[in-house]
Amino acid sequence: MSYVIEGQTGQWEIVVGLEVHAQVISHSKLFSGASTTFGGDPNTQVSLVDAAFPGMLPVINHECVAQAIRTGLGLNAQINLTSRFDRKNYFYADLPQGYQISQFEHPIVGTGTIAIELANGETRSIGITRLHLEQDAGKLLHDQDPTKSFVDLNRAGVALMEIVSEPDIRAPEEAGAYLRKLRQILRYLGTCDGNMEEGSMRADVNVSVRKTGEPFRTRCEIKNVNSIRFVMQAIEAEAARQVEIWENGGTVDQETRLFDHTKGETRTMRSKEDAHDYRYFPDPDLLPLVLEQDWVDSLKAALPELPDAKRARFQQEYGITFYDAGVLVAEQAVADYYEAVARGRDGKLAVSWVTGDLFAALNRTSNTIETSPVSAASLGKMLDLIADGTINGKIAKEVFEDMVETGEDPEAIVERKGLRQVTDTGAIDAAITAVLDKNADKLAEYRSGKDKLFGFFVGQVMKETKGKANPALVNEALLARLNG
């Protein structure tokens, strides 16, 4: 998409690359057996390895490696059968070892791509540079004491996947679409829960600006942005800041910055380090990581159906639109719910009920698809009642609302409330007779050429039968009587 900043000296385009830190779903940490459960009391999930006691040696977590491979495969990326762990040396109070075990020159996953879709329907391919495994640091707590900072090491040593994009993003909307798509893929794969509020997915945002056709200019990195909305806002704010500097004759310094969402601005955190500042070297306690192709192939064979493939299949199998299929596959739980409803039934009718009445009910009752008061099986039964003529669409609305309130089976509601559709042609004829007798003037108008009154008579007959009459039978019988 075309996104430009109008400056005093002309138009500027933005160049963005994202480094996403995604916490690996595993029961234990990358190099220790300590728990990774979120929300534990401070420093209760810390092994001797995590706390960097002397003589403690790291042992690689097999499942974390498998999760990184699954993610790489889901990103259509190259899996490197040989990779290596390095020490990234820096001092910080929440880093007990004085270094982070990461992967620098030889990551486990190489180049890949993500296809994103924008609001205008345009699609773009964003390149993935690499994915590597590394340890997370601990957490500093500054609000526990007026004069001291506290350290919580529960997070120290938790496995992270750092997923680095190419600088292919050219608009805040594209960055948002990229992060949503990446999070969607990770959730489908079951490799990261994508919960940005809990910090299990966060982004470092690299931003620069340039005139069209120019080479890249100096970039700045905005650290640890923890929501998609804030990423988009940070890009806008930082790009505007850089344009102003360049147009006033200054130069942008390469640095690390923080985004203040309350003020809508970025501010300096520290000068940006280069790789040599971290004095990377191979970790002497860890052998190179060598994978067997057969194992990689077995992980690939066991991958779940991913969003793009599911969307295409839903369109083909259930006859629904590209847009509706996109809404359904946005969350795996919604896609699973829909498929349970639609299988063996009218796919278009199913999508109408799921994305219309069900979504409205979930919103109204503050529920999610996982806590829906109406199960997929129950909604499917209700669609069966519509299909076999037991109830019509209008009655179905009433039944559905009762299902939301009570959780009761739709067949039981129909029987309890006497909502079975009237298909007795004698009863329908009697209702038509009553309506025509009451509206002799309207009947005369209709027969004099006012065909539009047909809808009025249909409504009156449905009212006479309390909405229970089969609409198709009403239309057929009414036409015969009016034109007879």
Side-chain angles (χ1 to χ4, degrees):
M1 66 178 295
S2 178
Y3 179 90
V4 295
I5 298 173
E6 295 288 350
Q8 296 175 354
T9 62
Q11 294 184 336
W12 297 78
E13 73 171 5
I14 65 171
V15 178
V16 176
L18 296 175
E19 300 170 17
V20 174
H21 294 86
Q23 181 176 324
V24 175
I25 292 177
S26 65
H27 294 302
S28 54
K29 297 182 181 180
L30 183 56
F31 297 113
S32 83
S35 172
T36 59
T37 305
F38 179 79
D41 290 335
N43 297 308
T44 58
Q45 296 166 190
V46 187
S47 76
L48 297 177
V49 174
D50 307 326
F53 273 53
M56 296 297 105
L57 295 175
V59 178
I60 189 72
N61 183 328
H62 182 277
E63 178 59 16
C64 291
V65 175
Q67 293 285 58
I69 295 169
R70 291 183 186 108
T71 303
L73 293 169
L75 298 176
N76 303 305
Q78 172 191 338
I79 306 301
N80 296 323
L81 296 182
T82 301
S83 61
R84 188 183 76 196
F85 286 99
D86 302 288
R87 289 187 181 181
K88 179 181 181 180
N89 297 276
Y90 66 96
F91 173 78
Y92 209 65
D94 59 10
L95 193 71
Q97 298 167 142
Y99 59 85
Q100 177 192 38
I101 301 177
S102 181
Q103 294 185 305
F104 178 50
E105 290 185 333
H106 303 285
I108 189 169
V109 175
T111 56
T113 56
I114 288 183
I116 63 170
E117 181 187 343
L118 305 175
N120 62 4
E122 180 186 348
T123 58
R124 284 205 61 212
S125 182
I126 305 298
I128 301 293
T129 307
R130 56 187 277 148
L131 177 157
H132 64 259
L133 281 168
E134 64 184 20
Q135 295 173 303
D136 204 350
K139 184 179 181 181
L140 289 178
L141 307 173
H142 304 292
D143 57 356
Q144 307 294 305
D145 186 277
T147 60
K148 300 173 184 174
S149 290
F150 288 37
V151 182
D152 178 10
L153 295 180
N154 281 353
R155 205 169 66 185
V158 166
L160 296 179
M161 297 178 288
E162 181 169 332
I163 303 164
V164 182
S165 84
E166 292 287 332
D168 291 342
I169 295 168
R170 294 291 178 269
E173 185 197 342
E174 291 181 11
Y178 171 87
L179 288 170
R180 280 188 290 271
K181 186 63 173 287
L182 176 60
R183 182 171 64 181
Q184 182 188 46
I185 291 169
L186 295 176
R187 285 175 169 172
Y188 266 73
L189 291 167
T191 58
C192 174
D193 64 22
N195 192 326
M196 299 187 84
E197 294 75 23
E198 292 182 0
S200 54
M201 181 172 154
R202 52 193 190 270
D204 297 340
V205 187
N206 292 279
V207 181
S208 66
V209 297
R210 66 177 179 180
K211 295 291 184 69
T212 303
E214 280 187 346
F216 293 151
R217 297 196 183 202
T218 307
R219 64 183 169 87
C220 291
E221 182 181 35
I222 307 162
K223 291 291 286 186
N224 287 335
V225 187
N226 65 355
S227 89
I228 293 174
R229 182 164 55 93
F230 290 164
V231 166
M232 296 169 68
Q233 291 174 0
I235 291 169
E236 290 187 16
E238 177 60 18
R241 184 189 75 88
Q242 291 184 21
V243 167
E244 185 178 358
I245 290 172
W246 289 118
E247 291 202 326
N248 288 333
T251 57
V252 172
D253 295 325
Q254 183 175 333
E255 61 182 354
T256 301
R257 301 179 67 84
L258 291 175
F259 177 60
D260 185 335
H261 64 87
T262 58
K263 295 181 179 178
E265 63 184 27
T266 65
R267 62 173 186 269
T268 298
M269 182 181 177
R270 60 176 181 264
S271 61
K272 177 63 180 172
E273 302 88 353
D274 289 311
H276 64 262
D277 294 313
Y278 291 112
R279 305 185 316 283
Y280 282 99
F281 62 85
D283 193 302
D285 294 332
L286 290 162
L287 291 168
L289 185 60
V290 179
L291 310 176
E292 294 181 355
Q293 186 64 53
D294 287 349
W295 184 48
V296 174
D297 292 342
S298 69
L299 291 173
K300 184 174 184 177
L303 288 181
E305 184 179 39
L306 293 177
D308 288 348
K310 192 179 288 287
R311 186 178 197 173
R313 182 173 63 80
F314 277 10
Q315 286 181 262
Q316 182 177 6
E317 202 167 309
Y318 299 112
I320 62 177
T321 66
F322 180 76
Y323 174 81
D324 283 341
V327 171
L328 293 170
V329 305
E331 296 288 343
Q332 189 170 16
V334 173
D336 292 344
Y337 184 104
Y338 167 76
E339 188 147 34
V341 173
R343 193 176 287 115
R345 302 186 177 97
D346 182 338
K348 292 179 180 177
L349 183 62
V351 77
S352 173
W353 278 94
V354 170
T355 61
D357 298 74
L358 178 70
F359 279 11
L362 295 178
N363 186 52
R364 189 174 66 248
T365 59
S366 300
N367 274 297
T368 64
I369 199 76
E370 291 90 348
T371 61
S372 171
V374 178
S375 70
S378 289
L379 183 54
K381 283 184 183 178
M382 195 195 76
L383 297 190
D384 290 339
L385 295 177
I386 297 173
D388 67 17
T390 302
I391 58 175
N392 59 35
K394 183 178 179 183
I395 296 172
K397 299 278 186 184
E398 182 181 340
V399 172
F400 181 78
E401 290 306 316
D402 212 320
M403 291 163 66
V404 172
E405 294 298 322
T406 67
E408 197 175 350
D409 185 88
E411 293 171 330
I413 294 170
V414 169
E415 293 304 322
R416 174 169 57 80
K417 300 182 79 170
L419 295 174
R420 192 172 290 275
Q421 185 171 232
V422 176
T423 56
D424 177 358
T425 54
I428 292 173
D429 282 339
I432 291 173
T433 299
V435 167
L436 296 182
D437 288 347
K438 291 178 192 173
N439 297 279
D441 55 335
K442 293 283 194 299
L443 177 59
E445 287 182 45
Y446 176 86
R447 286 177 170 166
S448 67
K450 288 193 175 180
D451 293 350
K452 291 181 180 178
L453 283 171
F454 182 74
F456 164 78
F457 287 115
V458 171
Q460 292 301 305
V461 173
M462 295 303 292
K463 186 176 179 181
E464 185 76 19
T465 61
K466 297 181 181 177
K468 296 179 186 177
N470 181 303
L473 294 179
V474 168
N475 283 0
E476 184 181 345
L478 193 56
L479 273 172
R481 292 284 295 277
L482 290 174
N483 299 323

